[in-house]
Amino acid sequence: MYGWRARIGSIAATPSDIFPYEFYQIAPAGLTIMPTSLSIPQVKEKDLKQGRDEIEASAKGLAREGADVIILGAAPMLYALGPGSDRVLSERISKLTGVPTISNQTAMMDALRALDAAKILIASPFVKETNQKLKAFLEGSGFKVVGMGGFGKVKNADINRITRQEAYHFVKSAFNSHKSKEIQGILMPCANWPTSLLVKKWETDLGVPVVTSNLAKLWAALKVLGIKDKISDFGSLLSTKL
């Protein structure tokens, strides 16, 4: 068995190669990912509701196959439900499956707190409407959103096609547009665009910590599992806060 230390169950919004690729670039030896996905082709309420209806079945499947921890992705499906819904969902799935479960939204916010980042710039692949919902969720959870930048994508298939070069320059531009606002951290939601392998470059160039969806998921899973390997080269969250 390759996951001889632990197997991490992951429920994504849609089938994607991004998180598995980034995971195996970053994760310590002996960990594997068990990926599954919902059917959320677009970041629109109809599709997000369908995802909320499917998540229990996916979680039961991961538990049946031996996941040691489950990370719930598709954070936008929680935005309309309001602050606290991330923990309610995680607790329900954990009770249902008997497997420790954490929402990606919880993981991202916990990561920001661990980095003492209360004033946040959102840099997302989403449209303005989705960013506004995330802003309300974060501010209802105790953060201050001092700026937002969105790539303007609705379809997950289009998000998946954003290149690393496009992501890098987009985030730098968003930061430079808001840098007068005392940004303490950059939050980059969505597991479906190539961001986590760029975090060290952004932190070096911009001088603030960066939390991506996929780094937060891995960080949260390692904390639940009690795995404390030193992980360098992928930003301040994994290198100093395990």
Side-chain angles (χ1 to χ4, degrees):
M1 185 171 72
Y2 290 117
W4 52 271
R5 294 175 78 184
R7 291 182 286 180
I8 298 171
S10 170
I11 302 177
T14 189
S16 172
D17 57 349
I18 299 290
F19 184 40
Y21 181 86
E22 293 183 346
F23 179 91
Y24 286 112
Q25 297 289 314
I26 300 169
L31 298 179
T32 53
I33 186 172
M34 302 172 67
T36 187
S37 69
L38 307 173
S39 300
I40 303 180
Q42 299 188 87
V43 188
K44 291 188 173 181
E45 181 54 31
K46 177 183 176 182
D47 294 333
L48 295 172
K49 182 181 183 303
Q50 181 177 330
R52 291 193 291 267
D53 294 340
E54 294 175 354
I55 200 163
E56 290 188 4
S58 296
K60 286 180 180 178
L62 288 171
R64 183 181 62 246
E65 299 303 323
D68 296 294
V69 62
I70 296 173
I71 304 295
L72 307 175
M77 70 183 180
L78 298 171
Y79 299 164
L81 303 180
S85 59
D86 51 322
R87 297 188 187 277
V88 170
L89 177 61
S90 298
E91 289 169 6
R92 187 174 88 235
I93 297 300
S94 183
K95 184 176 180 180
L96 177 71
T97 62
V99 178
T101 302
I102 188 166
S103 165
N104 182 206
Q105 184 64 33
T106 305
M108 289 189 292
M109 294 191 298
D110 286 350
L112 290 169
R113 293 185 185 104
L115 294 165
D116 297 320
K119 297 179 180 179
I120 305 305
L121 170 68
I122 297 171
S124 87
F126 304 136
V127 295
K128 183 177 180 180
E129 179 185 2
T130 303
N131 275 350
Q132 290 286 1
K133 291 177 181 178
L134 173 55
K135 178 178 185 286
F137 197 106
L138 289 169
E139 294 190 334
S141 303
F143 297 92
K144 180 176 178 58
V145 176
V146 297
M148 296 187 295
F151 220 99
K153 304 295 186 183
V154 174
K155 294 181 180 179
N156 276 312
D158 291 336
I159 294 173
N160 186 254
R161 293 186 178 95
I162 297 172
T163 68
R164 279 203 241 185
Q165 292 89 341
E166 289 172 332
Y168 174 79
H169 290 292
F170 165 72
V171 173
K172 282 194 72 174
S173 177
F175 179 84
N176 288 331
S177 296
H178 297 91
K179 64 181 179 181
S180 63
K181 298 183 178 180
E182 300 182 1
I183 297 166
Q184 296 175 337
I186 301 174
L187 178 64
M188 301 185 62
C190 188
N192 201 29
W193 60 324
T195 56
S196 297
L197 303 184
L198 295 171
V199 164
K200 188 173 181 179
K201 291 181 173 57
W202 279 316
E203 290 188 344
T204 299
D205 293 347
L206 306 179
V208 297
V210 176
V211 172
T212 72
S213 174
N214 289 339
L215 284 185
K217 289 195 287 189
L218 176 56
W219 175 80
L222 294 174
K223 285 175 67 68
V224 169
L225 295 166
I227 293 174
K228 302 180 184 298
D229 294 47
K230 181 78 170 178
I231 302 175
S232 303
D233 298 324
F234 300 102
S236 54
L237 180 65
L238 290 180
S239 65
T240 63
K241 297 295 180 179
L242 289 180

